[in-house]
Amino acid sequence: MDQVVPVQSRPAPGAAGLPGAARAVGLSKVYGSGSGQVVALDNVDVRIPAGRFTAIMGPSGSGKSTLLHCLAGLDRPSQGSVYLGDTALESLSDSALTELRRREIGFVFQSFNLVPTLTAVENITLPLAIAGRRPDRGLLRSLVNALGLSQRLRHRPAELSGGQQQRVALARALVTRPRVVFADEPTGNLDSRTGADLLGLIRHFVDEDRQTVVMVTHDPAAAARADEVLFLADGRLRDHLPTSTVEQVLHRLAALDQGRS
Ligand code: ADP
Ligand code: MG
């Protein structure tokens, strides 16, 4: 793989400092073997600050989803370590990892991934039902109200718009009060207006509840809503940008592209 000079010579995020909500150290992920081998992540160090909204951008195939899945304990690294708070995920058995994920991680997918046979409220409370926990009624009500879902709770996913389905998925991710919510292109299947509404809601939960959110996105306008944008290319962390405008994100993406050619 070509060595690319970072377009900015700032220290990489996560190189030092506090533990953060989640952290990867020397994280590599290799899929397959022999000539079919793909290096999806190549020695990534990153720290996700608590109570902040972090966006991850990069070309298709640059390792964004793999990074998110490794940070969320959905996939195991080939090398390196992932920490959720102070817990090294590699130290956990599969069942302990599943348990930790249920308690501490929320995940929002591009394709909503709701259970079609369950109503909205049943989908929202599913993670609690699986864990044998009762929903906190006050929290459930405030989530449902904040997400504008109170009139839709008895509807099944097929009876909901895309935006409503993704708001149900966001409520499902938040209902356990997780340490971190990960979202992989959560606005990718929404029109721009509906996507902007969802981003406003994510911003609300970060600002009001200090919810930690990590979001992969292709959309510079979505990334510009975050507190920090990380840029991946070819499985490596190439750059990062603090709170930024759409133009700054576009400029950085263009620089990233030049760096690769
Ligand atoms: P992104 O989300 O940035 O588009 P991914 O993390 O999905 O990128 O993929 C990074 C690289 O790893 C790509 O080359 C992809 O084809 C490869 N990859 C991802 N998942 C798998 C898998 N399960 N098996 C083999 N290769 C994979
Ligand atoms: Mg992806």
Side-chain angles (χ1 to χ4, degrees):
M1 208 176 291
D2 291 344
Q3 182 67 46
V4 178
V5 178
V7 291
Q8 278 267 322
S9 55
R10 287 183 223 181
L18 300 164
R23 197 156 51 100
V25 181
L27 172 61
S28 294
K29 179 71 185 180
V30 180
Y31 290 109
S33 58
S35 59
Q37 184 169 303
V38 176
V39 180
L41 293 175
D42 187 4
N43 198 19
V44 171
D45 291 322
V46 69
R47 184 177 78 88
I48 304 300
R52 307 284 299 279
F53 183 10
T54 303
I56 301 175
M57 298 198 86
S60 182
S62 57
K64 302 180 298 295
S65 293
T66 304
L67 176 58
L68 217 59
H69 290 174
C70 287
L71 288 172
L74 290 167
D75 207 349
R76 296 269 195 185
S78 306
Q79 270 181 55
S81 300
V82 172
Y83 298 86
L84 200 61
D86 293 331
T87 306
L89 300 191
E90 73 213 38
S91 69
L92 302 177
S93 66
D94 284 348
S95 61
L97 182 59
T98 301
E99 203 35 53
L100 181 87
R101 230 172 28 225
R102 266 183 208 150
R103 249 191 354 259
E104 304 216 6
I105 299 286
F107 211 99
V108 179
F109 300 88
Q110 179 173 346
S111 50
F112 321 141
N113 285 20
L114 301 177
V115 180
T117 52
L118 300 182
T119 64
V121 70
E122 288 165 347
N123 268 286
I124 293 169
T125 54
L126 186 60
L128 297 169
I130 289 171
R133 286 163 59 192
R134 286 180 173 280
D136 170 336
R137 288 282 151 201
L139 171 64
L140 185 59
R141 197 175 314 117
S142 74
L143 270 180
V144 161
N145 287 339
L147 291 166
L149 290 167
S150 52
Q151 303 305 310
R152 292 287 178 276
L153 291 179
R154 306 288 157 203
H155 294 250
R156 288 180 213 288
E159 300 159 354
L160 300 173
S161 69
Q164 289 166 344
Q165 289 185 62
Q166 197 61 308
R167 283 184 271 138
V168 170
L170 182 58
R172 178 180 60 183
L174 289 164
V175 78
T176 57
R177 290 200 161 279
R179 184 189 293 269
V180 188
V181 167
F182 294 97
D184 197 350
E185 312 238 17
T187 61
N189 283 356
L190 304 178
D191 63 67
S192 58
R193 174 81 183 272
T194 310
D197 288 347
L198 188 83
L199 289 162
L201 289 165
I202 292 175
R203 200 57 261 179
H204 165 88
F205 289 107
V206 176
D207 293 338
E208 301 301 316
D209 298 340
R210 292 191 48 77
Q211 176 64 54
T212 305
V213 178
V214 185
M215 172 185 72
V216 165
T217 184
H218 268 114
D219 178 2
R225 300 299 304 271
D227 298 309
E228 183 175 29
V229 190
L230 309 179
F231 295 88
L232 275 181
D234 302 323
R236 293 187 181 193
L237 201 59
R238 299 293 188 188
D239 202 0
H240 66 114
L241 197 59
T243 312
S244 44
T245 64
V246 176
E247 272 98 59
Q248 287 169 320
V249 173
L250 283 167
H251 185 260
R252 216 46 88 82
L253 280 172
L256 195 68
D257 255 355
Q258 275 173 5
R260 300 172 79 222
S261 55

